[in-house]
């Protein structure tokens, strides 16, 4: 197997057409036997509910090249279970966990020449999704669906190492109380585009979103989850029915407690009580951890550890999790699935 001729060190995070993707169709109450295809264009009806009523959801996960050349998937069962919950929320048929993981393996194996060598920090990003299709016009669930997975090689998120970045609290909401905030659906991300643009116009990386009910508690950081390290070494992350349950966040909660010996807590984080934290970060699949230098809230700008240096505990968490993903550190049982 010969790797593609790519400048892995300077690869960004963008779409690149790879050789194969997986596709399966749901019709008459069951999923078809999925298959790999080289066609990267979806052929769907103009009446597809995904186009008009937002009946669609997606996931994001990565494949990692290890030092011995083998390939790791990181907790794909958790992505499968989260996608099932998103499908439940939007009245779409669930993709069985076994089918989801098998499809991921097929896509990675068929495109392994696009997976970077060990040591570059680059990975193969997988994008599974389910969409409502078919000839529809009323506001009702579709009768047909597509489940597909494509992949793209993506570079190391941090060029030259992790660096803190700053965020601003938005007056907009990314999701409504009792809405779709806990599901990974496109509408949540569409709602974040405009406030994200406003934040970038003020030279911030993205928005901090507060809880939609009271606007007093931190919920998400752009499209990532928030965490803070208190001055007495507690790892705290928000808990809310409108937060997307990040697989990275729950992995960090486990590692903070079991590997670093920290007390951990999911609970309320009030925007006017940031002084309790000595470090803070955003976490998600793309970056694993983005260190937060400071948060602008109204006229106040609160700096955590530093605007230029990464805090010790944040760095240790990043090293532990990425070490597990790339196979350099022993993983908790069940976290790694080999692609063979």
């Amino acid at each position: 197997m010969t790797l593609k001729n790519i400048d892995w060190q300077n690869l960004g995070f963008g779409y690149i057409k790879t050789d194969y993707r997986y596709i399966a169709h749901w019709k008459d109450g069951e999923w078809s036997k999925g298959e790999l295809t080289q066609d990267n264009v979806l052929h769907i009806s103009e009446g597809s509910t995904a186009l008009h009523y937002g009946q669609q959801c997606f996931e994001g996960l990565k494949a990692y090249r290890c030092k011995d050349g083998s390939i790791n998937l990181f907790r794909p069962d958790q992505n499968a279970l989260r996608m099932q919950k998103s499908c439940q929320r939007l009245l779409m048929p669930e993709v069985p966990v076994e089918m989801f993981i098998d499809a991921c393996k097929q896509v990675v194996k068929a495109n392994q020449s696009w997976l970077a060598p060990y040591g570059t920090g680059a990975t193969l990003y997988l994008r599974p999704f389910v969409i409502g299709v078919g000839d529809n016009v009323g506001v009702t669930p579709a009768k047909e669906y597509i489940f597909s997975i494509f992949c793209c090689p993506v570079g190391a998120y941090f060029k030259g190492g992790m660096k803190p970045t700053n965020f601003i609290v938005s007056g907009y909401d990314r999701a409504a109380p009792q809405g779709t905030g806990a599901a990974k659906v496109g509408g949540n991300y569409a709602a974040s585009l405009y406030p994200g643009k406003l934040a970038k116009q003020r030279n911030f990386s993205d928005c901090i979103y507060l809880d939609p009910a009271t606007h007093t508690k931190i919920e998400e950081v752009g499209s990532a989850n928030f965490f803070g390290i208190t001055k007495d070494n507690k790892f705290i992350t928000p808990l809310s029915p409108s937060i997307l349950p990040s697989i990275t966040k729950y992995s960090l909660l486990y590692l903070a407690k079991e590997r670093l010996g920290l007390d951990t807590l999911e609970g309320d984080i009030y925007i006017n009580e940031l002084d309790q934290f000595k470090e803070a970060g955003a976490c998600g699949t793309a970056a694993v951890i983005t260190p937060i230098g400071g948060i602008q809230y109204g006229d106040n700008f609160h700096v955590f550890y530093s605007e230029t240096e990464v805090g010790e505990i944040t760095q240790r968490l990043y090293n532990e999790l990425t070490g597990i993903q790339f196979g350099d550190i022993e993983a908790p049982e069940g976290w790694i699935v080999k692609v063979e």
Side-chain angles (χ1 to χ4, degrees):
M1 189 272 300
T2 303
L3 295 184
K4 299 293 182 180
N5 185 20
I6 292 175
D7 183 1
W8 302 106
Q9 302 291 347
N10 295 304
L11 188 61
F13 194 95
Y15 180 84
I16 295 175
K17 182 179 182 291
T18 51
D19 297 330
Y20 294 96
R21 64 274 311 132
Y22 175 97
I23 191 166
H25 294 82
W26 192 89
K27 191 175 182 180
D28 298 327
E30 62 181 2
W31 286 108
S32 67
K33 187 179 185 301
E35 61 181 2
L36 294 175
T37 175
Q38 292 186 293
D39 187 0
N40 72 328
V41 178
L42 290 174
H43 303 270
I44 62 174
S45 168
E46 62 189 353
S48 295
T49 57
L51 300 176
H52 304 281
Y53 306 125
Q55 200 184 22
Q56 59 86 247
C57 66
F58 68 99
E59 279 296 322
L61 67 159
K62 291 177 178 178
Y64 306 81
R65 180 89 63 186
C66 301
K67 188 179 292 186
D68 63 3
S70 65
I71 300 173
N72 284 350
L73 287 172
F74 180 72
R75 309 191 75 180
D77 59 321
Q78 297 303 304
N79 290 95
L81 292 170
R82 187 170 66 178
M83 175 169 269
Q84 286 186 347
K85 291 180 180 178
S86 296
C87 287
Q88 291 169 12
R89 182 65 177 81
L90 269 59
L91 298 182
M92 300 194 294
E94 297 174 26
V95 177
V97 173
E98 298 77 10
M99 180 181 181
F100 182 99
I101 295 175
D102 178 66
C104 288
K105 287 181 175 180
Q106 287 189 49
V107 170
V108 174
K109 190 171 183 179
N111 293 288
Q112 58 185 302
S113 61
W114 294 92
L115 177 53
Y118 172 83
T120 61
T123 56
L124 190 65
Y125 180 79
L126 278 68
R127 172 56 62 85
F129 60 93
V130 176
I131 59 174
V133 296
D135 298 326
N136 313 278
V137 72
V139 187
T140 57
K143 295 182 175 63
E144 300 175 24
Y145 297 85
I146 287 174
F147 166 52
S148 183
I149 304 177
F150 67 88
C151 66
C152 302
V154 295
Y157 194 86
F158 299 108
K159 309 300 182 186
M162 281 203 302
K163 296 176 183 176
T165 187
N166 299 329
F167 296 85
I168 184 171
V169 174
S170 176
Y172 288 89
D173 296 327
R174 60 169 286 277
Q178 307 306 316
T180 58
K184 198 167 177 66
V185 299
N188 297 340
Y189 294 83
S192 73
L193 295 176
Y194 181 68
K197 177 184 177 182
L198 296 179
K200 292 176 177 65
Q201 287 176 344
R202 294 187 59 181
N203 295 319
F204 292 94
S205 290
D206 211 329
C207 300
I208 299 280
Y209 293 103
L210 303 181
D211 71 292
T214 70
H215 289 169
T216 61
K217 296 173 283 189
I218 289 178
E219 289 217 331
E220 294 215 324
V221 186
S223 57
N225 281 186
F226 177 89
F227 72 85
I229 309 295
T230 65
K231 293 174 181 177
D232 58 351
N233 289 337
K234 288 187 178 71
F235 180 102
I236 304 180
T237 185
L239 180 65
S240 164
S242 53
I243 292 177
L244 182 72
S246 164
I247 293 156
T248 304
K249 180 186 81 169
Y250 284 108
S251 300
L252 291 173
L253 273 166
Y254 177 90
L255 296 175
K257 182 177 182 180
E258 301 298 331
R259 299 282 176 94
L260 272 63
L262 306 180
D263 290 333
T264 58
L265 174 68
E266 283 186 276
D268 293 337
I269 298 178
Y270 289 92
I271 188 62
N272 61 359
E273 294 180 358
L274 297 181
D275 287 344
Q276 66 180 305
F277 299 107
K278 62 180 181 180
E279 299 178 31
C283 57
T285 297
V288 182
I289 292 175
T290 299
I292 297 177
I295 293 177
Q296 184 77 42
Y297 178 48
D299 295 329
N300 299 315
F301 182 68
H302 178 84
V303 176
F304 295 96
Y305 183 81
S306 167
E307 288 186 77
T308 57
E309 302 294 329
V310 181
E312 176 190 357
I313 293 176
T314 299
Q315 186 68 60
R316 288 176 61 196
L317 285 168
Y318 178 84
N319 293 345
E320 188 75 19
L321 186 50
T322 55
I324 289 169
Q325 291 169 333
F326 283 101
D328 297 325
I329 295 175
E330 184 178 356
E333 185 176 356
W335 280 25
I336 296 297
V337 172
K338 286 289 185 183
V339 177
E340 302 182 58

